[in-house]
Amino acid sequence: MAVLPIRITGEPVLHSPAAPVERVDDALRALVADMFETMAAAPGVGLAAPQVGVDARVFVYDWTDEDDVHWRGVAINPELLISPLALDELDEDAEAEGCLSVPGERFPLRRADRALLRATDLDGEAYEIDAHGWLARIFQHEFDHLEGVLYVDRLAHPYGKAALKAVKRNSWGGPGQSWLPGRDHLED
């Protein structure tokens, strides 16, 4: 297993839909193992293959909820159904989100409170998870990566403008930029 470099916004693989996974094989299992190691080193609660430069519809997640239930898995060729978005005012703290491909930045983003994930695991078995709260947010965030969308692309004003300024301030937005968890120090 290895910690992989995480691509930063501007890398083309992050901004286009990922290719379907054709087969579950040893190469995919090795990639998933590396993704789990990379996610833990970052640290993060989810990581999509495009974030490590791989054009494949796969993401991993690892999170413990408020009831101390541990959610850890891999989603291959996922489908995601979400509930309607709440219409109340955005909570800047409770709905703040970050991304390993926009390192050190956090902005509030409205997400659906419920998401139904349908995917395949590393054994080639189909599964389904009805997620609520933060787990639903994780699934939506990682699924977006597979669609070529970063969370900063979804931000409403004034947060979208602040995100663009952060990208410019950090000289991101072009290809070839990455950081290596465990070696590169990034501000949270």
Side-chain angles (χ1 to χ4, degrees), residues 136-151:
R137 177 176 293 272
I138 292 167
F139 289 166
Q140 290 167 79
H141 181 106
E142 300 311 324
F143 186 83
D144 273 354
H145 276 297
L146 304 183
E147 296 296 307
V149 176
L150 286 110
Y151 90 106

Side-chain angles (χ1 to χ4, degrees), residues 4-150:
L4 304 172
I6 297 176
R7 303 316 196 268
I8 294 175
T9 184
E11 187 68 33
V13 72
L14 293 173
H15 301 284
S16 59
V21 172
E22 298 296 327
R23 64 184 171 279
V24 176
D25 57 14
D26 288 343
L28 182 64
R29 288 183 188 88
L31 170 65
V32 166
D34 290 347
M35 288 173 63
F36 273 115
E37 188 168 339
T38 302
M39 180 179 58
V45 295
L47 186 68
Q51 292 182 274
V52 293
V54 178
D55 181 17
R57 294 189 72 78
V58 59
F59 69 79
V60 298
Y61 55 93
D62 191 349
W63 180 70
T64 301
D65 68 20
E66 59 278 352
D67 295 324
D68 211 28
V69 176
H70 188 200
W71 297 92
R72 178 181 165 95
V74 57
I76 301 167
N77 295 330
E79 296 176 14
L80 194 69
L81 304 171
I82 62 172
S83 63
L85 298 180
L87 299 176
D88 54 339
E89 191 169 326
L90 187 66
D91 184 321
E92 291 185 18
D93 294 321
E95 295 181 274
E97 196 167 308
C99 179
L100 298 175
S101 291
V102 188
E105 303 294 333
R106 292 185 66 79
F107 299 100
L109 175 64
R110 176 61 40 93
R111 296 277 192 185
D113 188 55
R114 189 171 179 190
L116 179 65
L117 174 70
R118 293 179 179 147
T120 302
D121 64 19
L122 280 177
D123 294 322
E125 298 295 323
Y127 71 92
E128 187 173 285
I129 297 175
D130 186 4
H132 303 268
W134 201 257
L135 185 60
R137 177 176 293 272
I138 292 167
F139 289 166
Q140 290 167 79
H141 181 106
E142 300 311 324
F143 186 83
D144 273 354
H145 276 297
L146 304 183
E147 296 296 307
V149 176
L150 286 110

